[in-house]
Amino acid sequence: MQIGDLSVRSGVNIETIRYYERIGVLPKATRQTNGRRIYSPADAERLGFIRHARDLGFDLTSIRVLLALQDQPAASCETASQIAQGQLEAVESRIARLLSLRDELARMVSECSRGMVSECRVIEALASK
Protein backbone atom coordinates (compact mmCIF):
# COMPACT_ATOMS: atom_id res chain seq x y z
CA MET A 1 0.00 0.00 0.00
CA GLN A 2 1.13 3.55 -0.60
CA ILE A 3 1.67 6.13 2.13
CA GLY A 4 -1.74 7.76 1.59
CA ASP A 5 -3.48 4.42 2.01
CA LEU A 6 -1.41 3.70 5.13
CA SER A 7 -2.34 7.10 6.51
CA VAL A 8 -6.05 6.51 5.98
CA ARG A 9 -5.89 2.95 7.33
CA SER A 10 -3.93 3.91 10.46
CA GLY A 11 -5.28 7.39 11.14
CA VAL A 12 -1.71 8.73 11.20
CA ASN A 13 -0.78 11.85 9.25
CA ILE A 14 1.51 11.32 6.24
CA GLU A 15 4.17 13.66 7.63
CA THR A 16 4.12 11.75 10.93
CA ILE A 17 4.64 8.47 9.05
CA ARG A 18 7.66 9.99 7.29
CA TYR A 19 8.96 11.28 10.64
CA TYR A 20 8.60 7.82 12.21
CA GLU A 21 10.63 6.41 9.32
CA ARG A 22 13.34 9.06 9.74
CA ILE A 23 13.75 8.34 13.45
CA GLY A 24 13.60 4.58 12.96
CA VAL A 25 10.46 3.55 14.86
CA LEU A 26 8.92 2.56 11.54
CA PRO A 27 11.18 0.72 9.09
CA LYS A 28 12.11 2.50 5.89
CA ALA A 29 9.55 1.69 3.24
CA THR A 30 10.56 -0.08 0.09
CA ARG A 31 10.36 2.12 -2.98
CA GLN A 32 8.82 1.59 -6.35
CA THR A 33 10.85 2.50 -9.44
CA ASN A 34 9.10 5.87 -9.47
CA GLY A 35 10.29 6.51 -5.87
CA ARG A 36 6.93 6.05 -4.17
CA ARG A 37 6.95 4.33 -0.80
CA ILE A 38 5.28 0.95 -0.50
CA TYR A 39 4.17 -0.42 2.88
CA SER A 40 3.28 -3.92 3.98
CA PRO A 41 0.49 -5.07 6.29
CA ALA A 42 3.22 -5.57 8.96
CA ASP A 43 4.13 -1.88 8.61
CA ALA A 44 0.46 -0.98 9.11
CA GLU A 45 0.31 -3.15 12.25
CA ARG A 46 3.47 -1.58 13.63
CA LEU A 47 2.14 1.89 12.91
CA GLY A 48 -1.11 0.96 14.65
CA PHE A 49 0.90 -0.13 17.70
CA ILE A 50 2.79 3.18 17.68
CA ARG A 51 -0.39 5.23 17.28
CA HIS A 52 -2.14 3.39 20.11
CA ALA A 53 0.88 3.83 22.37
CA ARG A 54 1.03 7.56 21.50
CA ASP A 55 -2.71 7.87 22.21
CA LEU A 56 -1.98 6.45 25.67
CA GLY A 57 0.70 9.09 26.17
CA PHE A 58 3.83 6.98 25.81
CA ASP A 59 6.86 8.89 24.59
CA LEU A 60 8.88 7.69 21.61
CA THR A 61 11.72 6.40 23.81
CA SER A 62 9.30 4.12 25.64
CA ILE A 63 7.69 3.08 22.36
CA ARG A 64 11.09 2.05 20.99
CA VAL A 65 11.62 -0.19 24.03
CA LEU A 66 8.12 -1.65 23.75
CA LEU A 67 8.60 -2.35 20.04
CA ALA A 68 11.90 -4.09 20.78
CA LEU A 69 10.16 -6.18 23.44
CA GLN A 70 7.40 -7.07 21.00
CA ASP A 71 10.09 -8.65 18.82
CA GLN A 72 11.09 -10.95 21.73
CA PRO A 73 7.92 -12.91 22.58
CA ALA A 74 9.73 -15.28 24.98
CA ALA A 75 11.29 -12.47 27.07
CA SER A 76 9.95 -11.28 30.41
CA CYS A 77 7.38 -8.51 30.25
CA GLU A 78 8.76 -6.86 33.41
CA THR A 79 10.17 -3.92 31.46
CA ALA A 80 6.87 -3.39 29.62
CA SER A 81 5.05 -3.45 32.94
CA GLN A 82 7.46 -0.92 34.45
CA ILE A 83 7.04 1.40 31.47
CA ALA A 84 3.23 1.14 31.71
CA GLN A 85 3.36 1.73 35.48
CA GLY A 86 5.42 4.87 34.94
CA GLN A 87 2.92 6.11 32.37
CA LEU A 88 0.02 5.35 34.72
CA GLU A 89 1.69 7.36 37.48
CA ALA A 90 2.25 10.28 35.09
CA VAL A 91 -1.42 10.20 34.04
CA GLU A 92 -2.59 10.08 37.65
CA SER A 93 -0.35 13.06 38.45
CA ARG A 94 -1.79 15.04 35.53
CA ILE A 95 -5.33 14.17 36.63
CA ALA A 96 -4.57 15.42 40.16
CA ARG A 97 -3.19 18.70 38.75
CA LEU A 98 -6.21 19.10 36.47
CA LEU A 99 -8.64 18.48 39.33
CA SER A 100 -6.84 21.11 41.39
CA LEU A 101 -6.98 23.50 38.45
CA ARG A 102 -10.70 22.83 38.02
CA ASP A 103 -11.35 23.52 41.69
CA GLU A 104 -9.41 26.79 41.57
CA LEU A 105 -11.22 27.95 38.42
CA ALA A 106 -14.60 26.99 39.87
CA ARG A 107 -13.81 28.97 43.03
CA MET A 108 -12.79 32.01 40.99
CA VAL A 109 -15.94 31.87 38.87
CA SER A 110 -18.26 31.31 41.82
CA GLU A 111 -16.78 34.27 43.71
CA CYS A 112 -17.19 36.62 40.76
CA SER A 113 -20.19 38.93 41.13
CA ARG A 114 -19.97 39.84 37.44
CA GLY A 115 -19.88 43.50 38.36
CA MET A 116 -17.15 45.97 37.52
CA VAL A 117 -13.59 44.88 36.69
CA SER A 118 -12.31 46.85 39.69
CA GLU A 119 -14.23 44.38 41.91
CA CYS A 120 -13.69 41.26 39.79
CA ARG A 121 -12.61 38.23 41.83
CA VAL A 122 -11.24 36.51 38.70
CA ILE A 123 -8.86 39.40 37.98
CA GLU A 124 -7.99 39.70 41.67
CA ALA A 125 -7.26 35.97 42.03
CA LEU A 126 -5.05 35.96 38.95
CA ALA A 127 -3.14 39.01 40.15
CA SER A 128 -2.48 37.53 43.60
CA LYS A 129 -0.40 34.53 42.45
Side-chain angles (χ1 to χ4, degrees):
M1 79 187 78
Q2 293 183 355
I3 195 167
D5 300 323
L6 180 63
S7 176
V8 169
R9 181 173 171 178
S10 67
V12 176
N13 181 288
I14 290 173
E15 288 305 314
T16 303
I17 294 169
R18 290 180 181 139
Y19 172 71
Y20 288 161
E21 278 188 53
R22 278 194 308 275
I23 66 169
V25 294
L26 189 64
K28 297 271 186 208
T30 57
R31 300 260 184 173
Q32 292 178 321
T33 55
N34 62 6
R36 290 187 181 203
R37 293 172 166 92
I38 295 296
Y39 297 90
S40 70
D43 294 327
E45 287 178 23
R46 186 174 182 99
L47 186 57
F49 181 99
I50 295 166
R51 187 180 68 86
H52 189 203
R54 294 295 286 161
D55 287 348
L56 292 171
F58 289 100
D59 62 24
L60 288 172
T61 301
S62 296
I63 292 171
R64 283 180 195 277
V65 173
L66 293 168
L67 285 167
L69 289 170
Q70 187 181 38
D71 293 336
Q72 303 171 34
S76 168
C77 70
E78 181 65 27
T79 301
S81 183
Q82 289 172 351
I83 291 170
Q85 180 65 39
Q87 185 59 22
L88 175 59
E89 290 167 4
V91 166
E92 288 173 342
S93 175
R94 275 185 296 222
I95 289 170
R97 288 192 313 271
L98 286 170
L99 289 172
S100 177
L101 175 63
R102 181 196 65 191
D103 293 346
E104 178 67 11
L105 288 168
R107 183 189 63 75
M108 288 170 42
V109 169
S110 71
E111 291 177 0
C112 182
S113 64
R114 290 163 181 74
M116 295 175 46
V117 170
S118 62
E119 300 167 354
C120 181
R121 294 290 294 147
V122 173
I123 300 296
E124 183 181 315
L126 290 172
S128 68
K129 294 277 176 176

